[in-house]
């Protein structure tokens, strides 16, 4: 590793995370790659070192295991070269809620919510002290729409969006950029891993196009980047409606429609 700015990427062994690794290495950053599959991390690290000259460390970890997660948190706390965290590791769960084993639901929540918030918590104080840096959280458009029928996965991604928006409000004034990236269906292994036949999907975005678009948003310091959303006015309208709703809350008074009929 050199003294160059270093990016720690979770879920870097394949898919969106491996593509972020490729793009950040080509941009002149060093990397710390996190995932469970050590052999895949080693192969990617060797390729990126040879192709780009980047310094690449691997940190094999199962982010659902408290001990492994603590090791990644410690690296984020202690390694002052790391100025960017890409919270990307995640999984999906297919099938109706009543058929999803409780343990699988709990593992999904641990991976998609507990891990990214703990990792953000580990790095944020150091970034704030430095007055610079970035935290990127990979959400999903599924987190906007219970209608997609993936209740637990969508709930974890709604958590990621809310967390990102809240942290952005808190950390941007202190020099730390926070971005939520909301992909829609993207061609990676996530489908196969969740037991979903991707060939039955009508259309998928290619992973390189998704990450390159997310990086356009990153370079613009956009708070929420939704590469598959074609008319940004829809997002702005949703945000305006939310703020109007919040402006209409009157804490001390029950709304007329809930008052008992006189
Ligand atoms: P993917 O190809 O399945 O890659 C997932 C990555 O996460 C892999 O590197 C995997 O590596 C790692 N991972 C999985 N479980 C882990 C664990 N317990 N501990 C540590 N690492 C773990 O999926 P992807 O599509 O690139 O997904 C990346 C992110 O994008 C996820 O947060 C996902 O929810 C989000 N997303 C994807 C899509 C899509 O359509 N692809 C759409 C919206 C959002 P190992 O197996 O080596 O651990």
């Amino acid at each position: 590793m050199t003294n160059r700015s270093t990016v720690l990427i979770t879920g870097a062994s394949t898919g969106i995370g491996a593509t972020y690794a490729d793009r950040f290495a080509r941009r002149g950053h060093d990397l710390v790659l996190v995932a469970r599959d050590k052999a895949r991390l080693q192969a990617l690290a060797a390729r990126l070192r040879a192709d780009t000259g980047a310094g690449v460390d691997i940190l094999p970890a199962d982010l659902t295991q408290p001990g492994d997660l603590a090791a990644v948190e410690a690296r984020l706390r202690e390694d002052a070269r790391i100025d960017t965290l890409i919270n990307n590791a995640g999984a999906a769960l297919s099938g109706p809620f009543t058929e999803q084993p409780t343990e699988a639901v709990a593992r999904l929540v641990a991976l998609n919510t507990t891990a990214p918030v703990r990792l953000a918590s580990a790095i944020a104080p150091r970034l704030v002290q430095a007055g610079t840096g970035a935290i990127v959280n990979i959400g999903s458009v599924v987190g906007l729409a219970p209608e997609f029928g993936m209740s637990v996965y969508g709930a974890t991604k709604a958590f990621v969006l809310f967390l990102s928006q809240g942290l952005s409000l808190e950390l941007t004034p202190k020099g730390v950029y926070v971005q939520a990236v909301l992909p829609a269906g993207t061609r990676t292994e996530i489908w196969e891993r969740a037991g979903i036949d991707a060939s039955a999907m009508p259309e998928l975005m290619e992973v390189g196009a998704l990450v390159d678009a997310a990086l356009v948003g990153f370079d613009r310091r956009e708070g929420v980047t939704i590469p598959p959303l074609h008319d940004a006015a829809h997002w702005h309208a949703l945000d305006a409606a939310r703020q109007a709703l919040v402006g209409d809350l009157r804490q001390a008074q029950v709304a007329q429609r809930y008052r008992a009929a006189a």
Side-chain angles (χ1 to χ4, degrees):
M1 298 283 277
T2 67
N3 278 328
R4 295 191 299 184
S5 138
T6 300
V7 182
L8 185 144
I9 304 169
T10 68
S13 61
T14 184
I16 294 171
T19 308
Y20 265 110
D22 177 85
R23 300 305 194 261
F24 275 112
R26 289 178 199 288
R27 286 173 168 225
H29 298 271
D30 288 342
L31 304 172
V32 180
L33 306 180
V34 178
R36 292 167 301 181
D37 189 327
K38 188 174 174 184
R40 280 180 117 178
L41 291 178
Q42 282 171 329
L44 177 62
R47 178 174 72 73
L48 292 178
R49 283 184 207 113
D51 288 358
T52 70
V56 186
D57 279 358
I58 66 165
L59 185 46
D62 181 340
L63 297 174
T64 64
Q65 297 303 311
D68 286 10
L69 185 53
V72 183
E73 291 168 32
R75 182 71 184 256
L76 288 168
R77 280 195 188 91
E78 290 157 17
D79 187 344
R81 294 167 306 174
I82 300 174
D83 62 9
T84 303
L85 165 64
I86 310 291
N87 259 328
N88 162 78
L93 201 52
S94 62
F97 184 59
T98 48
E99 289 172 23
Q100 293 170 340
T102 303
E103 282 316 308
V105 166
R107 259 197 318 278
L108 190 77
V109 171
L111 178 63
N112 289 9
T113 66
T114 305
V117 74
R118 287 193 67 110
L119 298 181
S121 172
I123 195 174
R126 191 169 56 70
L127 297 185
V128 165
Q129 198 171 22
T132 186
I135 299 172
V136 175
N137 298 315
I138 309 301
S140 168
V141 297
V142 177
L144 299 173
E147 294 78 8
F148 280 124
M150 298 174 81
S151 301
V152 180
Y153 177 75
T156 67
K157 294 304 182 178
F159 176 96
V160 167
L161 174 61
F162 190 108
L163 179 73
S164 305
Q165 291 177 298
L167 292 186
S168 180
L169 289 171
E170 286 193 53
L171 303 185
T172 302
K174 297 176 176 165
V176 180
Y177 168 54
V178 182
Q179 181 192 28
V181 175
L182 276 55
T186 305
R187 197 179 310 284
T188 69
E189 293 172 14
I190 197 168
W191 304 99
E192 193 186 328
R193 288 174 191 248
I196 298 168
D197 180 9
S199 65
M201 307 285 297
E203 284 182 321
L204 291 174
M205 189 175 288
E206 297 304 325
V207 68
L210 181 272
V211 173
D212 288 336
L215 287 169
V216 170
F218 180 88
D219 291 338
R220 289 183 187 152
R221 293 302 190 243
E222 199 173 56
V224 179
T225 297
I226 313 178
L229 178 66
H230 284 249
D231 186 351
H234 290 303
W235 171 254
H236 297 309
L238 179 65
D239 208 38
R242 186 183 59 74
Q243 299 211 21
L245 181 153
V246 171
D248 187 38
L249 299 173
R250 274 166 281 164
Q251 188 153 284
Q253 293 160 17
V254 168
Q256 181 64 43
R257 67 187 179 286
Y258 298 121
R259 291 183 198 161

